């Protein structure tokens, strides 16, 4: 293990960007913002000119590599260059006294981003450049998207679903304090509650069964994750549970001397952040291996994997990174940079009313992507800003245009 920044930055928001840069949000009480560590460098520096001086409450990197940091007063800090510079966008928040705080941010694979505040849902279709308030439903402390590009949001009042990119939300679970949400590879929805209930739906949330009870206790289900082989793991108190039948039945597979606070899957290997250390279990093994080397005796808040396979762990005593790759056969798709500029065929095609356009950049560049009708008139500008090297996609919504042929 390599000590990266101890004990200066025990941030409460963390992520790994597609190009291997690790970012950490500063502690809420210090309002220090976000710091960045470039791969191969053990030093930290404040990230980004233009980053607003506010606490990091919600954080995400979109499938296209845009970084978004949500804070108070409706602020969303957006970076299109890997965190070097940020532009602050102020959402049209209708409220104050905490209602203007960004509670969660989620993105689907087609490029739609939702930022949820205490007073509503805000949407961006252009990588955070512009936003519109699309719903008065908010307060989600957990939000995610599924394989269909639809969104799920969990709050202290229940679980909500949106099939129209955040415009309307349907409450799928009522009077449940949702602490963790997972949409499995088979489309099953699992929602863990503050009181130890684990609700399961196989029909998009229309019908639910509580698969909690024994062996679960009446305490918070903090985390859910799924291995590549389909095994689902859940963390509650000091225990880890496993299901091999898509969440129907569960068995206890591990018990620690202190609480399990986070779970992270890398292929079929699972890492458990425990108050007393960091543990690893490979598939088909029964034992959990302590890989903390005695360095983690504090709270492990989050963890992630660099592109080269090194594991990064955030604790309340600092940040640590493994000196070597923990798994060289994870096979993250799309991490290798393209060797030339690529512009792909939109999908679906034909479409009604929206389609996705994918493209690739071998290096960072200023990108302008426009759509024209057959008369040569520009009808939409989808992208017009600096973007990172890598694979990108954007949604073209033609719902306000007449049927016809369009080129880009």
């Amino acid at each position: 293990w390599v000590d990266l920044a101890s004990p200066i930055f025990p941030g409460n928001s963390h992520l790994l960007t597609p190009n291997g840069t690790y970012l950490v949000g500063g502690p809420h009480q210090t309002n220090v913002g976000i710091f960045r560590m470039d791969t191969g460098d053990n030093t930290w520096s404040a990230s980004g000119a233009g980053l607003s001086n506010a606490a990091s409450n919600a954080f995400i990197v979109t499938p296209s590599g845009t970084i978004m940091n949500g804070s108070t007063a409706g602020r969303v800090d957006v970076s299109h260059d890997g965190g070097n510079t940020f532009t602050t966008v102020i959402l049209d928040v209708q409220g104050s006294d905490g209602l203007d705080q960004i509670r969660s941010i989620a993105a689907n694979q087609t490029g739609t981003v939702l930022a949820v505040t205490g007073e509503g849902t805000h949407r961006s279709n252009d990588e955070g450049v512009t936003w519109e308030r699309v719903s008065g439903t908010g307060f989600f402390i957990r939000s995610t998207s599924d394989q269909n590009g639809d969104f799920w949001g969990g709050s202290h009042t229940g679980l909500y679903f949106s099939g129209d990119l955040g415009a309307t939300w349907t409450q799928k679970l009522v009077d449940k304090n949702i602490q963790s949400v997972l949409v499995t590879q088979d489309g099953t929805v699992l929602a863990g509650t503050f009181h130890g209930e684990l609700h399961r739906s196989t029909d998009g949330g229309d019908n639910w069964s509580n698969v909690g009870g024994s062996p679960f206790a009446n305490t918070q289900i903090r985390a859910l994750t799924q291995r590549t082989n389909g095994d689902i793991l859940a963390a509650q108190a000091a225990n880890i549970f496993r299901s091999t039948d898509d969440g129907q039945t569960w068995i206890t597979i591990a018990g620690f001397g202190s609480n399990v606070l986070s779970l992270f899957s890398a292929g079929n290997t699972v890492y458990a952040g425990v108050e007393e250390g960091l543990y690893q279990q490979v598939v088909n093994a029964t034992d959990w291996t302590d890989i903390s080397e005695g360095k983690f005796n504090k709270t492990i808040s989050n963890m992630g994997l660099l592109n080269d396979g090194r594991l990064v762990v955030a604790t309340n005593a600092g940040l640590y990174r493994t000196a070597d790759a923990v798994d060289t056969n994870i096979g993250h798709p799309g991490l290798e940079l393209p060797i030339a500029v690529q512009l792909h065929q939109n999908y679906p095609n034909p479409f009604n009313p929206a389609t996705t356009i994918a493209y690739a950049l071998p290096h960072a560049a200023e990108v302008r992507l426009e759509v024209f009708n057959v008369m040569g008139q520009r009808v939409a500008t989808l992208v017009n800003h600096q973007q990172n090297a890598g694979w990108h996609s954007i949604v073209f919504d033609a719902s306000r245009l007449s049927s016809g042929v369009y080129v880009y």
Side-chain angles (χ1 to χ4, degrees):
W1 289 90
V2 178
D3 186 348
L4 298 182
S6 175
I8 307 173
F9 304 125
N12 59 2
S13 297
H14 319 273
L15 65 94
L16 288 168
T17 69
N19 64 0
T21 299
Y22 186 74
L23 293 139
V24 54
H28 179 84
Q29 62 270 26
T30 61
N31 291 343
V32 293
I34 299 171
F35 294 81
R36 185 186 67 196
M37 190 276 293
D38 293 326
T39 305
D41 186 357
N42 293 338
T43 61
W44 290 83
S45 60
S47 178
L51 181 64
S52 66
N53 187 26
S56 176
N57 300 321
F59 209 59
I60 195 173
V61 58
T62 72
S64 294
T66 299
I67 299 167
M68 298 186 189
N69 170 55
S71 58
T72 58
R75 295 186 183 93
V76 179
D77 298 313
V78 181
S79 175
H80 299 289
D81 58 6
N84 292 322
T85 60
F86 283 83
T87 300
T88 300
V89 181
I90 307 297
L91 304 188
D92 181 21
V93 178
Q94 301 175 9
S96 57
D97 297 329
L99 294 178
D100 56 1
Q101 176 179 323
I102 309 297
R103 304 293 177 128
S104 63
I105 303 179
N108 66 13
Q109 63 269 32
T110 60
T112 297
V113 183
L114 300 184
V116 182
T117 70
E119 54 75 59
T121 302
H122 303 255
R123 182 174 66 203
S124 176
N125 290 320
D126 56 8
E127 296 296 306
V129 177
T130 60
W131 295 81
E132 60 175 335
R133 186 177 184 272
V134 294
S135 171
T137 303
F139 265 113
F140 300 148
I141 59 173
R142 298 285 184 271
S143 56
T144 188
S145 63
D146 58 26
Q147 295 89 334
N148 297 321
D150 297 325
F151 288 88
W152 297 81
S155 75
H156 64 282
T157 62
L159 183 67
Y160 297 79
F161 169 79
S162 176
D164 56 7
L165 305 180
T168 59
W169 293 87
T170 302
Q171 190 167 11
K172 295 293 188 176
L173 274 173
V174 181
D175 295 330
K176 302 297 180 183
N177 189 338
I178 305 300
Q179 298 294 304
S180 53
V181 181
L182 175 70
V183 182
T184 72
Q185 299 163 6
D186 295 330
T188 297
V189 184
L190 296 172
T193 74
F194 186 82
H195 298 292
E197 298 173 346
L198 183 59
H199 297 273
R200 178 178 183 269
S201 175
T202 59
D203 59 3
D206 292 333
N207 296 281
W208 294 87
S209 59
N210 182 7
V211 295
S214 180
F216 292 101
N218 187 27
T219 56
Q220 177 182 359
I221 297 178
R222 294 178 179 271
L224 292 163
T225 191
Q226 186 172 31
R227 282 184 163 128
T228 303
N229 70 352
D231 289 357
I232 303 170
L233 277 71
Q236 182 190 60
N239 300 311
I240 295 178
F241 307 90
R242 183 182 69 206
S243 173
T244 59
D245 56 6
D246 205 39
Q248 297 182 69
T249 59
W250 297 80
I251 62 172
T252 305
I253 63 170
F256 300 92
S258 56
N259 289 331
V260 181
L261 304 177
S262 55
L263 293 173
F264 176 75
S265 296
N268 282 323
T269 301
V270 173
Y271 300 90
V274 183
E275 288 177 344
E276 64 185 21
L278 179 64
Y279 292 80
Q280 174 196 65
Q281 188 196 52
V282 297
V283 67
N284 298 324
T286 57
D287 297 330
W288 289 76
T289 303
D290 185 351
I291 62 172
S292 60
E293 299 177 357
K295 292 194 175 185
F296 302 113
N297 57 0
K298 301 292 184 180
T299 301
I300 297 177
S301 58
N302 210 335
M303 63 191 87
L305 205 66
L306 296 173
N307 293 348
D308 60 9
R310 289 178 294 174
L311 186 69
V312 179
V313 178
T315 80
N316 64 348
L319 295 174
Y320 296 84
R321 183 190 66 200
T322 54
D324 301 310
V326 293
D327 191 341
T328 58
N329 297 305
I330 295 169
H332 291 288
L335 290 181
E336 294 183 2
L337 292 177
I339 61 175
V341 174
Q342 300 176 28
L343 182 61
H344 297 279
Q345 179 67 53
N346 61 297
Y347 180 85
N349 185 35
F351 64 94
N352 183 19
T355 187
T356 299
I357 301 172
Y359 56 99
L361 305 174
H363 51 75
E366 193 74 23
V367 177
R368 186 175 181 89
L369 180 58
E370 300 174 324
V371 181
F372 299 85
N373 61 21
V374 293
M375 301 297 293
Q377 299 168 317
R378 182 174 60 238
V379 297
T381 299
L382 303 180
V383 182
N384 186 21
H385 52 249
Q386 178 84 7
Q387 288 193 313
N388 291 333
W391 306 89
H392 301 263
S393 64
I394 193 71
V395 174
F396 171 46
D397 185 353
S399 57
R400 298 179 181 179
L401 300 176
S402 60
S403 299
V405 177
Y406 296 91
V407 297
Y408 58 90

